[in-house]
Amino acid sequence: MQDNEIINLYEKRSESAIEHTKIQYGKMIFSLIYHIIGNSQDTEECENDTYLGIWNSIPPQKPRNFKAYILKIARNRALKKVEYLNAAKRNNHNNVPFDELNNILIDHEKLIEEITESDLAEQLNEFLSTLNENNRKVFMLRYWYFRTIREIMDECNMSKSKVESILFRVRSKLREYLKERRYCE
């Protein structure tokens, strides 16, 4: 079933929309959430919350890119779950990718005062467009999909040092790019 047909089912409030979403994107949603959360039980709960989030947002939303839309919902749900688990000191293994980027952006509160989230997203998208396909893929696998270094090595057929080198260089380029635009110090 095509994405626009699934969206139409959501707009008609047909419960089969969720089933078709699961068939089409369920494995991808589960995989993304699992890489962020790290355990099956919380992943399943978050996956169900994702389907509920899609159900509650379409309508009024009518996403142009359904796959990106649902993956963003899934990722946001997973990150909220990780925040909850970390606040309760239950789990701390998923902070690694964020820790790697921690020294790039200026103080979060200062950032909120000066720019909007969409401004920063636009800058990040612009930065990503300057990278070659290989570097962009490695960066996205690490910081969007929360893949481990080992998983990136396997998926991209690279050595550990190559992956780490790419990540280091891209983070450095990102820091300089954002520094030029006054998003970091």
Side-chain angles (χ1 to χ4, degrees):
M1 183 172 265
Q2 298 294 318
D3 288 352
N4 60 340
E5 294 172 308
I6 298 172
I7 292 169
N8 286 336
L9 290 173
Y10 279 104
E11 290 174 335
K12 292 176 184 172
R13 307 313 287 162
S14 170
E15 291 183 19
S16 67
I18 294 172
E19 277 309 309
H20 286 290
T21 303
K22 285 181 183 180
I23 291 166
Q24 188 95 357
Y25 296 107
K27 288 180 182 177
M28 195 179 302
I29 290 169
F30 185 89
S31 177
L32 173 64
I33 295 170
Y34 185 82
H35 277 92
I36 295 171
I37 294 177
N39 77 56
S40 295
Q41 184 177 359
D42 288 332
T43 297
E44 288 174 13
E45 178 185 327
C46 215
E47 181 182 13
N48 290 331
D49 289 346
T50 298
Y51 296 125
L52 179 63
I54 298 166
W55 178 264
N56 288 334
S57 65
I58 303 175
Q61 298 292 321
K62 186 166 184 158
R64 285 180 278 166
N65 184 332
F66 187 59
K67 178 180 172 183
Y69 183 79
I70 63 176
L71 290 178
K72 183 175 181 181
I73 290 172
R75 185 175 188 274
N76 287 341
R77 302 280 174 167
L79 291 173
K80 284 181 184 177
K81 185 68 170 182
V82 168
E83 186 178 325
Y84 166 77
L85 294 171
N86 286 339
K89 304 285 188 236
R90 295 182 181 113
N91 181 356
N92 203 19
H93 80 280
N94 289 308
N95 286 338
V96 174
F98 287 135
D99 289 346
E100 294 169 4
L101 292 174
N102 199 27
N103 64 347
I104 293 178
L105 292 174
I106 58 177
D107 179 53
H108 184 66
E109 289 179 23
K110 184 178 176 186
L111 181 68
I112 290 172
E113 292 172 12
E114 294 180 9
I115 63 169
T116 66
E117 185 178 322
S118 63
D119 291 336
L120 183 57
E122 186 178 314
Q123 291 300 317
L124 289 173
N125 285 332
E126 195 175 298
F127 169 75
L128 290 171
S129 72
T130 68
L131 300 177
N132 68 43
E133 185 179 341
N134 213 26
N135 289 357
R136 184 172 44 248
K137 181 177 182 179
V138 169
F139 186 84
M140 293 300 291
L141 285 171
R142 183 70 174 148
Y143 300 113
W144 176 261
Y145 293 102
F146 283 75
R147 298 293 197 264
T148 64
I149 300 295
R150 165 60 59 197
E151 290 167 327
I152 298 169
M153 289 167 49
D154 293 342
E155 188 165 333
C156 297
N157 197 25
M158 295 178 181
S159 68
K160 180 179 181 184
S161 61
K162 178 74 172 173
V163 171
E164 289 173 339
S165 174
I166 288 171
L167 290 171
F168 177 79
R169 285 193 317 270
V170 172
R171 284 193 310 268
S172 297
K173 285 180 186 177
L174 176 59
R175 183 180 302 107
E176 289 305 311
Y177 184 88
L178 293 175
K179 197 180 279 188
E180 289 171 7
R181 285 150 185 83
R182 303 182 60 146
Y183 287 92
C184 68
E185 300 171 336

